[in-house]
Amino acid sequence: MNIGVDAAALGMANAVTASTADVNSGYWNPAGLTKLEDSQLALMHASYFANIAQYDYIGYASPIDDRSAYGISLIRFGVDDILNTTELIDSDGNIDYNRISLFSTADYGFTFSYARKLTVRGFQYGINAKIIRRVIGKFADSWGFGFDVGLQFEKNDWQFGLMVRDITTTYNVWNIDEKEYQKIADAVPGQNQELPESTEITAPKAQLGLSKKFIIRYDYSIMAAANVNMRFAKTNDVFSSDFVSVDPALGLEFGYTNLVFVRAGVGNFQNIEQLDNSKKVSFQPNIGLGFKYKGIQVDYALTDLGNQSAALYSNIFSLKVDLSLFRN
């Protein structure tokens, strides 16, 4: 649930908490759903780690009336066709490759979003209810649930946003197949002798956003955006304390006649300890392109999963469709 959706947002280093205003707002800030004029559908697919892992997303959102809207979305991140070698050696101690089977491990996130405009002009809020499903073959599975809350405010063409993820903490309860676990319990003497913890808690995170769109001679536009991402724990983020760690992100989008878009962003600023115990600040650069025509928008992002020196770049494509296109 931390990877993100929509190539347009990923191309801007996820700095869209204040500006998001479409079907993908269900992920970035549900308050943005109030800006929908009609129903929208979004799709995204990405391959990670040399096509080992697959990430898929589908989202739908629609206005309820002139003050409220709702959305639903489903995310899957999985690795398929993993070799299960727990029964590779038969009862006589012989290796039998026919005893190898395949399994998948996958995380699923289902989100229902609701957003509404407040009576105070320029303010809107949104709420996410999330159900988390995690499966590790036949070895273990879990169910979890959590909530997000988002706010947006507009004043003099400036946009402000606040998104608090897992505000109540997201709680996962695991069910471990003890019979399958015993097959690997003694694989390394003295290790794996006890079952893993059966509960998993995701702590809250907050994102503050600011953005403004500048129009240049009618046809050209520049949207500048910034995020302050906060985790309430000490991490490797560039600003870190025992109470909160802060990671900034900056994004730019250049548009031409609301038809063609070029995007760039930088984020994920981290203090990385070097071999000589010194620290170096790393960051994650992103670039992207977009094309929009008659209610259909195709976006592309090239994003580095690690930092500016890693070679784990991923090509991400997403599609957004305004469903009013099919009613005209």
Side-chain angles (χ1 to χ4, degrees):
M1 298 299 290
N2 288 327
I3 294 176
V5 303
D6 182 29
L10 296 173
M12 295 178 64
N14 307 341
V16 296
T17 302
S19 61
T20 183
D22 58 17
V23 58
N24 299 302
S25 298
Y27 179 90
W28 296 111
N29 187 340
L33 293 173
T34 59
K35 300 175 184 177
L36 285 171
E37 297 181 358
D38 209 317
S39 302
Q40 288 185 344
L41 176 71
L43 301 169
M44 190 185 93
H45 172 75
S47 296
Y48 290 101
F49 312 119
N51 293 326
I52 293 174
Q54 306 299 317
Y55 183 81
D56 295 287
Y57 158 77
I58 181 170
Y60 171 82
S62 178
I64 298 173
D65 51 38
D66 61 351
R67 299 190 62 82
S68 60
Y70 78 96
I72 55 175
S73 66
L74 176 66
I75 291 174
R76 179 187 187 271
F77 184 85
V79 178
D80 300 305
D81 296 332
I82 302 171
L83 295 178
N84 177 7
T85 60
T86 58
E87 298 180 357
L88 177 62
I89 300 175
D90 62 23
S91 58
D92 296 324
N94 300 314
I95 295 177
D96 184 356
Y97 293 103
N98 293 321
R99 296 167 63 90
I100 295 177
S101 59
L102 301 176
F103 71 97
S104 297
T105 178
D107 292 351
Y108 300 86
F110 175 81
T111 303
F112 176 81
S113 307
Y114 174 79
R116 187 170 182 83
K117 295 180 181 178
L118 294 172
T119 54
V120 180
R121 183 177 178 85
F123 274 98
Q124 49 262 353
Y125 74 91
I127 299 173
N128 286 339
K130 302 184 295 188
I131 298 174
I132 309 299
R133 174 66 168 164
R134 308 184 72 184
V135 180
I136 306 176
K138 57 184 178 181
F139 305 103
D141 61 81
S142 75
W143 288 96
F145 61 91
F147 294 91
D148 305 329
V149 174
L151 290 170
Q152 284 186 335
F153 174 64
E154 301 172 39
K155 183 72 172 180
N156 298 329
D157 296 327
W158 286 91
Q159 296 176 304
F160 306 87
L162 170 65
M163 177 66 165
V164 183
R165 299 185 182 275
D166 308 300
I167 190 169
T168 59
T169 71
T170 292
Y171 190 75
N172 276 277
V173 179
W174 283 91
N175 174 47
I176 300 170
D177 189 317
E178 294 190 30
K179 182 179 178 181
E180 292 296 327
Y181 178 79
Q182 289 303 318
K183 295 178 182 179
I184 61 170
D186 297 318
V188 179
Q191 298 185 23
N192 298 327
Q193 301 301 308
E194 297 180 1
L195 289 173
E197 293 287 337
S198 60
T199 58
E200 183 180 12
I201 296 176
T202 302
K205 298 177 287 293
Q207 296 169 306
L208 280 170
L210 170 69
S211 71
K212 186 172 184 179
K213 190 172 185 178
F214 302 89
I215 304 299
I216 304 172
R217 294 184 179 179
Y218 304 103
D219 290 337
Y220 299 92
S221 67
I222 299 176
M223 184 170 68
N227 258 29
V228 176
N229 305 313
M230 295 172 285
R231 289 183 283 182
F232 299 99
K234 191 166 186 178
T235 68
N236 286 331
D237 289 345
V238 66
F239 304 108
S240 184
S241 69
D242 291 333
F243 172 68
V244 65
S245 298
V246 178
D247 164 35
L250 302 172
L252 287 173
E253 179 185 78
F254 301 89
Y256 173 68
T257 66
N258 201 33
L259 179 69
V260 179
F261 304 91
V262 178
R263 305 180 181 98
V266 61
N268 195 25
F269 289 88
Q270 301 286 301
N271 286 313
I272 305 300
E273 188 170 340
Q274 307 298 301
L275 293 176
D276 60 0
N277 295 323
S278 64
K279 289 188 176 181
K280 178 182 178 182
V281 175
S282 70
F283 59 88
Q284 175 180 324
N286 308 267
I287 59 173
L289 297 171
F291 179 77
K292 182 178 180 180
Y293 182 69
K294 289 186 176 181
I296 298 177
Q297 182 169 331
V298 179
D299 294 295
Y300 164 79
L302 179 65
T303 179
D304 181 354
L305 294 182
N307 54 53
Q308 79 281 12
S309 64
L312 297 175
Y313 284 88
S314 294
N315 298 291
I316 298 174
F317 294 89
S318 66
L319 172 69
K320 184 174 66 178
V321 180
D322 188 334
L323 298 182
S324 64
L325 176 69
F326 301 100
R327 289 194 288 271
N328 295 333

